[in-house]
C-alpha cells in the first residue's frame, strides 16, 4: 500500500472559495477537538516534561510543513495571504505583497500556492475504500455562488492551515518570516536550517497583536528547541556537554524573562551558538551540514502524527479529505527534517487510521479496513528492517493495536452480535496481522523454532475462541442460576444444569451461525474448537453434579438427559465442522471425552433397582415368617403374602417405566433379573421345609424269610407297635406339630405358586405394552423376548408345585394314612386286613384336596396321590417286613384290592382319565402276576435273571441283588422280595440255603 504515497502528482480540489470582501481581521479558527480514545494511549512515545501541548506540537508541525513546502523548488519563496488576496482583488496594496517581492509566483506556480482542482480522484481513498466527507448544503464545484462572485481554487497550504486549525494571522507571520529567512540564506537547504531558531530571530513583538501573544509564542518555540536538542536529540547527549548546559540555562532564563531577538543581540548569538553546536553534531565528532533538531524519537513521530491527523476532514472526523494525495505529497517533504522514512510513515499512518477508527466510536469500517491494509505494508517492512528504533516503535504500536483488539476478541461474545458482526472481521484481521508480525518478525523465540511449527493466526484464534466461550459460559451459568432462584416457588422448576444445557446448546448454535464463518478464515476448525470448549466447561459442572448424586431423582434425570442431548448436539457440530480437515476431526473429538450421561443414568437406575429389590427381599423374609398359609385367607385359596409380592412387582415395573429415562429397554433385563430372583427366592422359601417324596417314604426293612405255619400265631392277640412304624424317614418329623405344614396349608402353598406363575405371564404381557409406549423402544425391543421375561421364577414355580404335590401325596399316603396302609394293610391274614380302610381315609383326603387345590393343579395333585398310593401298595407287598406273608391264594385278594384302589381314582369316569391311570399302572400290573406264580417257577426265574445280570460269576453262588426301588418282574431284587414274602416251605428253604436270611429282624 505504501506505493500509493510515492510519486503522487498534484490534482485539484473540489473545494473552491469566493475571495472574501475587505473586512476586519478574522479571529483564529477554532480547531475541532481531535477525537481521542482515553483507553488507547499513543504508542509513538511520550515527550519528556516540556510543557508542550498538542496545540504547540501542531503549530510546530505546521511551521515545518510550510518551511519545507516553500523551499521545495529552486525558485524563491512567495507569500500570498487571504487578506492580501482580497486587497489586491479590490485594488489594495501591502508592503509584504508577493507582487512587490522578488520571485513572485502566480497561483499556478509550484509550492504552497499550487491550487488543488476537483478533477483527480484519490487513489489512496479508492485503495482503502475510504469515504468522502459529507458536503454541506449549497456546497459544490460550480463556478458561481449565490452572490454571483467567482470562486478561487483552494491551495494546498490554505487547506493544510484549515485542517490544522492555524489562524491566518499566525500563518501570515510564519510565511513572512520564512521569506526573510530564505532571502537572507539564498541557496541554503531547509534541512540545514533550525527553523525555530530562525523564526525567533525573524519575528518581533511588532508582528504580534500584543505582548502576551508574543511571549507565549517565544516560550513555545524555546520549548521546541529544548525538546529537539536536549530532551529528545537525534544522537545521545552527554550530561557534561557544555553546549547543552548552556542552552538549558538560556531557555530557563528566557522562560522567566523574554529574550531580545535582534540580529546582533548578544543573547540571541549565544543561543544560536549553543543551538547550532547541538544540531550539527555527528557520531564521528564532525559537523553535519544537515541540522538535527526535530528528528529525535519520539518528538519526530509526535510531530509527524500531527501532520497525518490533518489528512482527516475537519468537518467530518470519520472521513479522510478528498485531497489526501496532495496533502500526503507535501507532508512527506517534512521527512528531511523529521528523520522520517517510508517504513516509519507506514507504521505511523497505520496507527493514525486505527486510532481514528477507535476514537470515533468504531462506526466507520473503512478506517478499520484501511488500517488493516496499511498493516500489510508494515508486515513487508518488518521483514526487511532491523533498525532498533523502528523495532521499538513497531513493537509498541502493534502491541497497542493487538491489546485493544484482544480486549474485545478474548470476550467477543460481549463485543459483537448479529448487528455489528461486520466489524468483527476487520478487528480479527487487524489483531491477527499484528500478532503475526510481533511473533514472526520480532519474537526471538519464533526465530529459534522452525516456522512450520507455529501457526500464529490459528493459535490466536484458538485462544480467542476458548477465552470468549469460557466467559460466555460463566455468564450463562450465572444466568441459569438466577433463573432457577426466580422460579423456585413455581411447580417443578428446572434444575440449573438443565437450564444451562439448553443455554449452552443455543450458544453453540449461535456460535456456528454467527461467529464461526468469520473465525474459520484463520482457523479451519473454529466451530469444533468452540463446541469442544463448551463441552469441557459444561462437563466440569456436570462432573461435580454427578459426584454429588446419591440416588435417582427427577432433577438428576432431567440434568443427565439434558447433558446427553447437549453432547450429541455439540458432537454433531464438531463432526460437521471437521469434514474437510486432515484428520477428520479426530483431534477435536479427542478433546470431548464423553459425558457418559446415559451410563450415569443407568447407574442411578441400577441403584434405584437395588434399593427396590433389597426392600422386596427383606419384605419376603419378614412376611414369609409371619405367613400361616391359611386356606380361608381369601376365596382363591392362596397366601396373602403372594398378593403383596405380585403387587410390589407390578408397582415396581410401573414405577420403572414412569422414570423419565431414555433407556428403558436397555435396563429392563437388569430389573427383570432382579425381580426374577426375588420371586424365585419367595418360591424357594415357600416350599422349604415342606418335605418331598423321599421325606415320607419309610425305610425298607431288611430282607427276611417267612416262618411257615406260624404267621398267624399272634394275630388274635392285642397288636403291638410294629417295627415298621419306627422306620419312617426322620424328615417326617419336621412337619409334625406345625400347622403351617398341614395338608390344607400345603395346598395353599401350591395354589400360591400356581397363582404366581399365572400372574408372571400377565406381567410379561404388560411389559410388552410398557415397551410399546416407551419413547426409546424400537420394534426389536419388544419383538425379542430376551430380557423381558421371568426366567428363573416360572421354572421355580413349576418345580415347587411338582415338589409340593409329591410332598402332599406321599405325606397323605405314607404319613397321614400310615396307620391304615403301612401299619394296617395285610398285617397278619391278608383277607382280614384288606385295603378298604385305606381307601376310605384316602377318599376323605381327596375331597379336601379337591376343595382346596386350584383346578389347574388339581389333576396333577390327584395323579401324584394315585402314584403315591400305587407306590405304597407295592411297598407293602414287597417291603412290608416280616409281619406280612402271602400265599398264592392271596393273589386274588391283592388284585381285587388294587382294582378297588384304581376305581377310587377313576370314580366312575368323574375322576382321573383312564389313560392317565393306565400310564402309572404298569409297575403294579407287572408285579402282581408274580404273586400267582408258583414258587419253583419264581426260583427258576430268579436264578436265570440273576445269571443274566451278573454273568458266569454267579454260577457258584448267587449274589444278593441290591434294592433299586424300580419294581419289575424281570428285576432280580423284585423276584427275590416276592420269594421273601411267599408263605411257602420251598421259598423258605431256598432263601435259607442261598442267603441264610433270618426269619425275624
Amino acid at each position: 500500500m505504501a506505493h500509493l504515497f510515492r510519486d503522487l502528482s498534484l490534482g485539484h480540489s473540489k473545494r473552491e472559495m469566493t475571495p472574501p470582501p475587505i473586512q476586519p481581521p478574522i479571529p483564529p479558527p477554532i480547531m475541532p477537538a481531535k477525537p481521542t480514545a482515553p483507553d488507547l494511549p499513543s504508542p509513538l512515545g511520550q515527550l519528556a516534561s516540556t510543557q508542550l501541548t498538542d496545540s504547540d506540537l501542531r503549530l510546530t508541525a505546521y511551521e515545518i510543513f510550510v518551511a519545507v513546502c516553500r523551499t521545495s523548488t529552486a525558485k524563491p519563496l512567495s507569500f500570498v495571504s487571504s487578506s492580501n488576496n482580497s486587497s489586491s482583488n479590490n485594488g489594495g496594496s501591502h508592503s509584504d505583497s508577493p507582487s512587490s517581492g522578488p520571485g513572485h509566483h502566480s497561483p499556478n506556480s509550484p509550492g504552497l500556492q499550487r491550487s488543488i482542482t476537483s478533477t483527480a480522484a484519490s487513489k489512496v481513498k479508492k485503495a482503502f475504500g475510504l469515504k468522502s466527507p459529507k458536503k454541506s448544503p449549497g456546497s459544490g464545484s460550480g463556478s458561481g455562488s449565490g452572490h454571483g462572485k467567482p470562486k478561487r481554487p483552494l491551495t494546498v497550504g490554505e487547506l493544510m492551515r484549515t485542517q490544522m486549525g492555524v489562524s491566518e494571522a499566525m500563518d501570515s507571520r510564519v510565511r513572512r518570516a520564512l521569506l526573510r529567512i530564505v532571502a537572507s540564506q539564498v541557496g541554503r537547504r531547509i534541512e540545514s536550517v533550525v527553523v525555530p531558531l530562525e523564526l525567533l530571530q525573524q519575528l518581533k513583538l511588532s508582528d504580534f497583536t500584543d505582548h502576551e501573544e508574543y511571549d507565549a509564542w517565544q516560550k513555545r518555540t524555546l520549548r521546541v528547541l529544548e525538546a529537539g536538542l536536549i530532551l529528545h536529540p537525534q544522537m545521545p547527549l552527554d550530561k557534561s556537554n557544555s553546549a547543552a548546559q548552556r542552552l538549558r540555562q538560556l531557555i530557563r532564563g528566557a522562560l522567566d524573562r523574554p529574550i531580545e531577538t535582534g540580529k546582533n543581540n548578544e543573547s540571541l548569538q549565544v543561543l544560536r551558538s549553543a543551538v547550532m553546536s547541538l544540531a550539527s553534531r555527528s557520531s564521528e565528532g564532525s559537523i553535519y551540514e544537515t541540522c538535527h533538531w526535530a528528528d529525535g524519537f519520539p518528538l519526530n513521530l509526535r510531530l509527524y502524527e500531527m501532520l497525518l491527523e490533518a489528512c482527516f476532514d475537519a468537518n467530518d472526523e470519520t472521513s479522510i479529505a478528498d485531497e489526501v494525495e496532495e496533502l500526503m505529497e507535501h507532508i512527506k517533504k517534512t521527512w528531511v527534517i523529521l528523520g522520517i522514512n517510508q517504513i516509519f510513515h507506514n507504521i505511523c499512518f497505520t496507527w493514525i487510521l486505527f486510532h481514528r477508527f477507535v476514537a470515533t466510536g468504531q462506526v466507520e469500517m473503512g478506517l478499520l479496513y484501511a488500517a488493516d491494509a496499511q498493516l500489510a505494508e508494515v508486515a513487508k517492512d518488518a521483514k526487511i528492517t532491523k533498525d532498533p528504533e523502528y523495532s521499538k516503535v513497531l513493537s509498541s504500536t502493534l502491541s497497542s493495536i493487538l491489546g485493544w483488539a484482544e480486549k474485545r476478541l478474548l470476550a467477543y461474545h460481549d463485543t459483537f452480535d448479529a448487528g455489528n458482526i461486520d466489524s468483527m472481521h476487520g478487528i480479527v484481521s487487524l489483531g491477527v496481522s499484528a500478532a503475526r508480525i510481533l511473533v514472526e518478525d520480532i519474537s526471538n523465540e519464533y526465530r529459534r523454532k522452525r516456522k512450520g511449527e507455529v501457526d500464529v493466526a490459528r493459535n490466536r484464534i484458538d485462544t480467542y475462541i476458548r477465552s470468549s466461550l469460557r466467559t460466555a459460559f460463566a455468564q450463562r451459568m450465572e444466568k441459569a442460576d438466577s433463573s432457577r432462584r426466580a422460579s423456585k416457588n413455581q411447580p417443578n422448576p428446572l434444575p440449573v444444569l438443565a437450564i444451562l444445557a439448553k443455554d449452552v446448546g443455543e450458544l453453540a448454535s449461535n456460535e456456528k451461525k454467527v461467529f464461526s464463518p468469520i473465525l474459520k478464515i484463520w482457523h479451519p476448525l473454529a466451530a469444533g474448537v468452540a463446541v469442544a470448549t463448551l463441552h469441557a466447561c459444561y462437563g466440569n459442572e456436570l462432573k461435580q453434579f454427578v459426584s454429588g448424586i446419591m440416588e435417582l431423582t427427577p432433577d438428576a434425570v432431567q440434568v443427565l438427559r439434558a447433558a446427553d442431548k447437549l453432547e450429541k448436539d455439540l458432537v454433531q457440530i464438531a463432526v460437521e465442522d471437521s469434514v474437510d480437515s486432515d484428520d477428520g476431526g479426530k483431534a477435536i473429538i479427542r478433546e470431548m471425552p464423553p459425558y457418559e450421561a446415559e451410563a450415569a443414568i443407568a447407574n442411578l437406575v441400577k441403584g434405584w433397582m437395588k434399593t427396590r429389590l433389597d426392600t422386596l427381599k427383606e419384605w419376603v423374609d419378614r412376611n414369609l415368617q409371619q405367613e400361616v398359609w391359611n386356606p380361608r385367607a381369601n376365596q382363591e385359596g392362596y397366601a396373602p403374602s403372594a398378593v403383596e409380592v405380585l403387587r410390589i412387582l407390578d408397582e415396581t415395573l410401573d414405577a420403572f417405566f414412569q422414570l423419565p429415562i431414555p433407556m428403558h429397554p436397555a435396563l429392563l433385563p437388569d430389573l427383570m433379573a432382579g425381580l426374577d430372583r426375588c420371586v424365585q427366592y419367595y418360591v424357594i422359601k415357600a416350599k422349604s421345609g415342606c418335605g418331598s417324596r423321599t421325606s415320607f417314604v419309610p425305610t425298607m426293612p431288611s430282607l427276611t424269610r417267612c416262618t411257615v405255619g406260624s404267621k398267624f400265631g399272634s394275630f388274635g392277640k392285642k397288636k403291638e407297635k410294629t417295627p415298621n412304624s419306627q422306620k419312617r424317614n426322620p424328615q417326617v418329623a419336621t412337619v409334625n406339630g406345625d400347622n403351617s405344614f398341614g395338608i390344607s396349608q400345603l395346598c395353599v402353598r401350591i395354589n400360591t405358586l400356581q397363582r404366581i406363575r399365572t400372574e408372571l405371564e400377565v406381567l410379561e404381557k404388560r411389559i410388552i405394552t410398557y415397551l410399546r409406549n416407551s419413547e426409546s423402544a424400537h420394534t426389536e425391543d419388544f419383538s425379542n423376548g430376551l430380557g423381558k421375561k421371568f426366567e428363573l421364577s416360572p421354572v421355580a414355580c413349576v418345580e415347587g408345585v411338582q415338589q409340593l404335590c409329591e410332598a402332599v401325596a406321599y405325606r397323605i399316603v405314607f404319613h397321614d394314612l400310615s396307620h391304615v396302609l403301612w401299619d394296617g394293610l395285610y398285617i397278619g391274614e391278608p383277607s382280614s386286613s384288606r385295603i378298604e380302610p385305606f381307601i376310605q381315609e384316602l377318599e376323605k383326603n381327596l375331597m379336601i384336596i379337591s376343595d382346596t387345590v386350584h383346578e389347574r393343579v388339581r389333576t396333577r395333585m390327584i395323579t401324584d396321590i394315585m402314584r403315591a398310593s400305587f407306590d405304597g401298595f407295592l411297598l407293602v407287598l414287597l417291603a412290608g417286613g416280616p409281619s406280612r406273608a402271602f400265599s398264592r391264594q392271596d393273589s386274588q385278594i391283592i388284585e381285587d384290592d388294587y382294582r378297588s384302589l384304581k376305581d377310587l381314582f377313576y370314580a366312575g369316569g368323574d375322576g382321573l382319565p383312564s389313560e392317565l391311570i393306565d400310564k402309572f399302572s404298569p409297575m403294579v400290573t407287572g408285579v402282581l402276576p408274580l404273586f400267582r406264580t408258583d414258587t419253583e417257577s419264581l426260583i427258576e426265574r430268579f436264578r436265570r435273571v440273576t445269571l443274566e445280570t451278573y454273568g458266569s460269576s454267579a454260577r457258584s453262588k448267587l449274589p444278593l441283588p441290591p434294592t433299586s426301588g424300580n419294581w419289575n418282574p424281570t428285576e432280580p431284587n423284585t423276584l427275590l422280595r416276592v420269594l421273601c414274602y411267599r408263605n411257602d416251605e420251598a421259598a423258605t428253604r431256598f432263601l435259607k440255603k442261598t442267603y441264610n436270611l433270618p426269619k425275624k429282624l
Side-chain angles (χ1 to χ4, degrees), residues 30-42:
I30 299 174
M31 179 65 182
K34 170 188 167 183
T36 59
D39 61 339
L40 195 63
S42 173

Side-chain angles (χ1 to χ4, degrees), residues 10-29:
L10 289 173
H12 297 278
S13 172
K14 295 179 182 178
R15 307 185 188 203
E16 297 177 348
M17 59 185 293
T18 303
I22 298 175
Q23 56 187 8
I26 302 173

Side-chain angles (χ1 to χ4, degrees), residues 983-1000:
N983 188 10
D984 181 88
E985 185 65 34
T988 300
R989 251 192 335 269
F990 172 75
L991 295 173
K992 172 67 175 174
K993 179 181 178 181
T994 306
Y995 299 113
N996 194 28
L997 293 180
K999 293 183 178 179
K1000 295 182 180 180

Side-chain angles (χ1 to χ4, degrees), residues 690-983:
C690 296
S692 62
R693 173 180 178 177
T694 57
S695 303
F696 300 102
V697 175
T699 304
M700 286 185 283
S702 301
L703 292 174
T704 59
R705 56 192 174 89
C706 288
T707 303
V708 181
S710 63
K711 78 171 191 171
F712 306 112
S714 60
F715 181 72
K717 300 178 182 178
K718 183 180 179 181
K719 262 186 192 177
E720 296 180 1
K721 194 173 184 180
T722 66
N724 297 342
S725 63
Q726 304 299 322
K727 295 181 181 180
R728 297 189 186 96
N729 193 307
Q731 292 183 37
V732 176
T734 63
V735 299
N736 290 336
D738 189 345
N739 289 335
S740 66
F741 294 98
I743 295 300
S744 297
Q745 285 74 23
L746 292 177
C747 290
V748 171
R749 293 175 190 256
I750 292 171
N751 290 345
T752 299
L753 300 190
Q754 177 60 33
R755 172 74 176 193
I756 289 174
R757 181 187 174 191
T758 303
E759 288 301 316
L760 292 181
E761 293 174 355
V762 174
L763 283 175
E764 288 174 350
K765 294 177 181 178
R766 193 172 299 155
I767 288 169
I768 298 300
T769 302
Y770 281 135
L771 282 174
R772 291 184 188 278
N773 296 330
S774 174
E775 63 176 283
S776 56
H778 303 287
T779 304
E780 59 271 17
D781 292 325
F782 44 80
S783 62
N784 178 10
L786 187 63
K788 299 157 191 67
K789 292 183 177 294
F790 295 94
E791 304 290 340
L792 302 175
S793 46
V795 174
C797 286
V798 171
E799 293 174 350
V801 168
Q802 179 181 343
Q803 177 187 331
L804 288 174
C805 284
E806 286 186 348
V808 169
Y810 282 84
R811 176 194 169 107
I812 290 173
V813 171
F814 291 101
H815 182 271
D816 295 355
L817 301 185
S818 63
H819 62 287
V820 289
L821 177 67
W822 189 248
D823 295 338
L825 183 60
Y826 303 142
I827 293 292
E829 180 61 43
S831 61
S832 59
S833 53
R834 295 182 64 175
I835 202 169
E836 188 59 32
F838 172 72
I839 290 175
Q840 291 175 356
E841 293 295 325
L842 185 59
E843 188 173 14
K844 294 177 183 178
N845 281 274
L846 289 175
M847 294 299 293
I848 295 173
I849 296 295
S850 297
D851 292 340
T852 307
V853 175
H854 192 278
E855 59 182 6
R856 294 184 64 177
V857 190
R858 191 175 299 149
T859 299
R860 171 63 184 264
M861 180 78 259
I862 294 174
T863 301
D864 282 344
I865 293 174
M866 180 183 71
R867 277 179 53 206
S869 301
F870 289 175
D871 287 351
F873 187 70
L874 285 177
L875 198 63
V876 166
L877 297 177
L878 300 175
S883 59
R884 291 183 174 89
F886 305 100
S887 64
R888 288 181 64 191
Q889 291 75 18
D890 293 332
S891 64
Q892 188 60 48
I893 294 173
I894 293 171
E895 291 176 2
D896 290 344
D897 284 351
Y898 174 64
R899 194 175 297 110
S900 298
L901 184 59
K902 285 205 304 181
D903 288 344
L904 171 66
F905 291 101
Y906 183 65
D910 294 332
L912 297 176
S914 58
E915 300 83 9
L916 188 59
I917 296 172
D918 292 340
K919 177 181 177 181
F920 293 97
S921 297
M923 186 181 289
V924 181
T925 55
V927 171
L928 289 186
L930 297 176
F931 286 87
R932 289 200 304 269
T933 306
D934 61 89
T935 302
E936 289 73 14
S937 297
L938 286 173
I939 292 172
E940 183 58 31
R941 186 186 296 184
F942 173 72
R943 288 180 184 277
R944 186 177 69 254
V945 172
T946 302
L947 287 172
E948 290 173 356
T949 302
Y950 294 97
S952 58
S953 62
R955 291 185 181 278
S956 57
K957 183 180 179 181
L958 293 174
L960 184 66
T963 302
S964 65
N966 293 322
W967 315 125
N968 193 298
T970 61
E971 194 258 336
N973 186 265
T974 303
L975 293 170
L976 179 62
R977 286 183 175 277
V978 173
L979 288 171
C980 286
Y981 292 98
R982 176 61 61 90
N983 188 10

Side-chain angles (χ1 to χ4, degrees), residues 58-80:
R58 191 177 295 110
L59 182 55
T60 302
Y62 181 71
E63 289 170 350
I64 295 172
F65 175 81
V66 173
V68 296
C69 290
R70 297 294 293 185
T71 61
S72 61
T73 68
K75 298 180 181 180
L77 289 173
S78 63
F79 167 71
V80 177

Side-chain angles (χ1 to χ4, degrees), residues 91-159:
S93 63
H94 193 280
S95 60
D96 288 321
S97 172
S99 59
S100 61
H104 167 64
H105 291 197
S106 70
N108 296 324
S109 64
L112 277 181
Q113 295 306 312
R114 181 173 182 176
S115 65
I116 306 174
T117 67
S118 60
T119 58
S122 171
K123 297 178 183 177
V124 177
K125 293 171 71 68
K126 286 183 178 180
F128 286 152
L130 294 168
K131 72 174 186 177
S132 297
K134 298 175 182 177
K135 298 297 181 182
S136 59
S139 66
S141 57
S143 59
S145 67
H147 300 286
K149 297 179 181 179
K151 293 183 178 180
R152 179 180 60 79
L154 192 66
T155 66
V156 174
E158 289 167 336
L159 177 60

Side-chain angles (χ1 to χ4, degrees), residues 585-605:
K586 292 179 181 178
I588 292 295
I589 298 301
R590 278 196 296 270
E591 284 191 48
M592 303 171 69
Y595 290 158
E596 297 182 343
E598 288 194 357
I601 293 175
N603 290 335
L604 289 173
V605 175

Side-chain angles (χ1 to χ4, degrees), residues 482-499:
S482 300
S483 177
R484 170 72 178 189
R485 287 196 300 269
S487 62
K488 65 180 180 180
N489 295 325
Q490 298 177 1
N492 303 318
L494 282 174
V496 171
L497 287 187
I499 299 172

